[in-house]
Amino acid sequence: MINNAWKACPSWSCLIYPEDFPVDRRPGDEDSYGKRIVTAEEFVPVQNEFGGFVYAGGTMSFTAGYWALGALKPDVIAYIGCDMVYEATPGGSTHFYGLGTADPLRSDVTLQSLEAKSLRLQALANQKGCAVVNLSEREKSRLCFPRMAFASLETMSQRPDIGTPLPCAVESALSAESDLGYWVESGRYWEEVGRFDKKKLRDIDDLWLATATELALA
């Protein structure tokens, strides 16, 4: 579960949230007994293993994915409720945020393309032999993961046939990241945002968007 979502499903086993997540929104001892709380102390080192926050995208939707990939080493990561589409309703609400502003919609140099960031996660997961899918039934999604019905996920009985060598487009994107060298070990990239070139990061996003066809065929 990510941030407030623990309230939606009492059977949650892991909850991940950022350093600035309000204390009054965190589960109390009774709600979290026997469950795992994942904080920056755990997820920042894991995120750094996959290139850091500047390239992965500074929102918990992706941070949770990378943490799960590195810490839990799953065969499948299945997203649900994280489409990051916040269309206003007649009453003014957007998704489950009510009248709040959804984190992924803020102006952030690392979030110029949510689609590109989702393709990056999918590519690095594929490299580790992990499939990333989207269980959502919403028509629109900012995630580019393949769609899968929940019933199909329940009946899966073997490891997905992925983990092939990285496609050329993925190699190019990772090489561009390495050459640019935007590394912040603390994870607090916003404290150094002045040294990041927005256009250069957008160019890298374009390289990840170009991986879409190759990933679909992997």
Side-chain angles (χ1 to χ4, degrees), residues 94 148 187:
T94 57
M148 177 178 283

Side-chain angles (χ1 to χ4, degrees), residues 112 116 172-173 176 180 197-210:
Q112 298 181 74
S172 296
L180 192 57
D197 187 305
K198 184 175 182 179
K199 182 183 183 303
K200 290 179 179 179
L201 286 174
R202 188 164 60 247
D203 289 343
I204 289 178
D205 280 342
D206 288 341
L207 291 175
W208 284 115
L209 290 171

Side-chain angles (χ1 to χ4, degrees), residues 181-193:
Y182 285 174
W183 173 256
V184 183
E185 186 173 6
S186 69
R188 298 180 178 181
Y189 65 90
W190 55 89
E191 296 177 351
E192 304 181 30
V193 72

